[in-house]
């Protein structure tokens, strides 16, 4: 069977002609245009609608980002207030959505619970139609429902009763208070808001691409999110924040980092989770911001500080070992420490990523369906037998 890249390229050419491109993992394939997010992976630059991520993370809020992504400009005060009102009045989810979460065993995977509850929303809205006139508004109404679902996934797993986020001055605050049943401090709300901003979009990674494939069939927005969630779950993508933090837990103390690294990464040849990226060949700019957030947030929290110290040492060893291959910390390396310091259990990290990324998914779906729609339908190179016949059962080996 032909399996080398060269053979596959030749076969693709033979089967589909000169226009065909064979690209394993769709590397270097461009599937859409976007005015949302720009990444220069060699320089470590990330911009949302032209604004550097560093500037957005220090000056902006998630609500402003929702407006920026969907409407292409920063909202004025009146527009922002209107957007906040819409968010605040859309946290409610149908009873069936909560039933779907709470009927499942408590040890169910959080992303599976989100897929399930999002699919319930798709099931309840029977005549979804894409429309340039309403898509953006609809996205703004879906985003708070994700906050309600993520909060209730957490509540269910922690044995708490259902609760819908209450309106407040910030999306991050409403979400945290629905999770924790207490007033959160401004610092906590602010840190959660920054985490939401940092994970809000990243062009077309596996999850966004999976969602785009779904909505390219003109399936509904919710189903697009289900597709994106399914792809996000894997440890090579959104699951990496959890996997990275589990490394820190396994290491347990800063003086064990070197021994663990030699055993697991060098001798064991395991991948260092939270390191490496298909696009970034230098330090992920989001990881730098998460690192400094983790640094300041853990100052007065000795337990979380321990994991920050472990991560810092591990980063140093990882860069020494892999930096020359362009493998550096990605956004998932330090984000878990921030979530941990906020009080979230490790199993929630991918769901928290999803909460934030729902914005990027929806913005890309709308950009694609409303402006540049075409069914996504690639081809595969056929490498099986050319001519074969059906073998009767009693003649089969
Ligand atoms: N640790 C050790 N080696 C690595 C790592 C890593 N984290 N990442 C890549 N490599 C090595 C591979 O072993 C391979 O080496 P080889 O050429 O000697 O065989 C080489 O780098 C290329 O690896 P690929 O997997 O082909 O490169 P790809 O572009 O697909 O990698 C990926 C991207 C999947 C993210 C990879 O870096 C990885 O597995 N990282 C760990 C998981 C992770 O942190 N994922 C989160 C990504 S960010 C996000 O999704 C939000």
């Amino acid at each position: 069977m032909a399996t080398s890249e060269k053979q596959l390229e030749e076969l693709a050419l033979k089967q589909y002609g000169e226009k065909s491109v064979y690209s394993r993992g769709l590397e270097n394939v461009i599937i859409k245009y976007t005015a949302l997010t720009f990444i220069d992976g060699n320089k470590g630059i990330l911009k949302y609608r032209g604004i550097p991520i560093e500037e957005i993370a220090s000056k902006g809020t998630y609500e402003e980002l929702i407006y920026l992504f969907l409407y292409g400009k920063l909202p004025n005060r009146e527009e922002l207030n209107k957007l906040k009102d819409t968010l605040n009045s859309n946290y409610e989810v149908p009873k069936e959505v909560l039933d779907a979460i709470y009927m499942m065993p408590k040890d169910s995977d959080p992303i599976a619970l989100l897929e399930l509850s999002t699919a319930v929303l798709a099931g309840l809205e029977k005549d979804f139609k894409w429309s340039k006139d309403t898509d953006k508004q609809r996205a703004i109404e879906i985003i708070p429902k994700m906050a309600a679902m993520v909060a209730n996934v957490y509540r269910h797993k922690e044995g708490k009763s259902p609760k819908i986020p209450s309106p407040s001055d910030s999306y991050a605050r409403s979400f945290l208070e629905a999770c924790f049943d207490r007033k959160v401090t401004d610092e906590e709300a602010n840190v959660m808001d920054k985490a939401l901003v940092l994970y809000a979009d990243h062009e077309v990674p596996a999850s966004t691409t999976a969602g785009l494939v779904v909505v390219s069939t003109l399936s509904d927005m919710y189903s697009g999110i289900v597709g994106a969630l399914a792809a996000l779950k894997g440890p090579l993508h959104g699951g990496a924040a959890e996997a990275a933090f589990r490394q820190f837990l396994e290491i347990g103390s800063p003086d064990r980092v070197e021994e663990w690294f030699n055993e697991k990464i060098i001798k064991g040849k395991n991948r260092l989770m939270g390191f490496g990226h298909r696009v970034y060949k230098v330090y992920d700019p989001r990881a730098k911001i998460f690192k400094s957030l983790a640094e300041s947030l853990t100052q007065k929290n000795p337990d979380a500080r321990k994991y920050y110290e472990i991560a810092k040492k591990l980063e140093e060893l990882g860069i020494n070992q892999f930096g020359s291959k362009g493998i550096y910390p990605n956004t998932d390396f330090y984000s878990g420490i921030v979530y941990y310091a906020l009080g979230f259990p490790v199993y929630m990290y991918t769901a928290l990523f999803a909460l934030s990324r729902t914005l990027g998914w929806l913005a890309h779906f709308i950009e694609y369906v409303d402006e540049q729609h075409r069914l996504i339908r690639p081809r595969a190179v056929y490498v099986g037998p050319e001519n074969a016949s059906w073998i009767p059962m009693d003649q089969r080996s």
Side-chain angles (χ1 to χ4, degrees), residues 345-375:
V346 184
Y347 68 73
M348 279 301 288
Y349 295 178
T350 317
L352 295 169
F353 184 157
L355 173 68
S356 167
R357 187 56 60 84
T358 301
L359 169 58
W361 291 334
L362 288 169
H364 276 281
F365 298 169
I366 291 170
E367 199 178 52
Y368 189 77
V369 175
D370 287 357
E371 294 175 22
Q372 46 188 308
H373 174 254
R374 192 148 198 239
L375 175 73

Side-chain angles (χ1 to χ4, degrees), residues 14 37 52 65 78 95 97 105 108 121 130 148 153 161 168 229 239 265 290 292 317 332 340 349 375 385-386 396:
K14 195 170 141 207
T37 293
L65 201 51
E78 195 187 319
K95 179 182 171 297
V97 170
S108 302
L121 284 175
W130 289 88
V153 164
S161 54
S168 81
L229 283 166
I265 307 297
F290 265 125
S292 82
L317 294 175
D332 292 333
Y340 183 84
Y349 295 178
L375 175 73
E386 254 177 58
R396 292 177 203 170

